[in-house]
């Protein structure tokens, strides 16, 4: 069972913006970067919990840190 719940992509984007990421490009996916790491967020509602966990890990966040940002 994933530790992060599935959420709409807009909430995930807002949480990552709080973590210092900025939107670079939008299309079928949203591409974000903090200058060092580039993330690709799908425009699904909701984003699958496993996918969201992988995005949080790629961002360098633990599941607990990411849930606090939501």
């Amino acid at each position: 069972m994933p530790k992060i719940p599935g959420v709409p992509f807009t909430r995930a984007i807002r949480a990552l913006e709080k973590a210092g990421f900025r939107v670079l490009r939008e299309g079928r996916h949203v591409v974000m970067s903090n200058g060092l790491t580039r993330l690709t967020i799908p425009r699904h509602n909701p984003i699958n919990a496993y996918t969201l966990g992988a995005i949080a890990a790629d961002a360098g966040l633990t599941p607990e840190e990411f849930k606090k940002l939501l």
Side-chain angles (χ1 to χ4, degrees):
M1 180 61 92
K3 295 181 181 180
I4 300 174
V7 296
F9 77 93
T10 53
R11 280 189 66 197
I13 289 170
R14 275 187 262 134
L16 290 167
E17 285 176 336
K18 290 177 190 175
F21 287 84
R22 297 290 167 243
V23 175
L24 297 179
R25 184 173 67 233
E26 292 186 57
R28 289 186 179 188
H29 292 79
V30 178
V31 178
M32 301 182 80
S33 177
N34 66 354
L36 300 173
T37 305
R38 187 174 281 188
L39 304 173
T40 304
I41 295 91
R43 288 179 162 257
H44 300 160
N45 283 325
I47 296 175
N48 181 316
Y50 293 101
T51 303
L52 198 54
I55 290 169
D58 289 345
L61 300 169
T62 65
E64 292 78 22
E65 290 171 335
F66 190 77
K67 281 197 281 189
K68 286 180 185 176
L69 294 172
L70 291 175

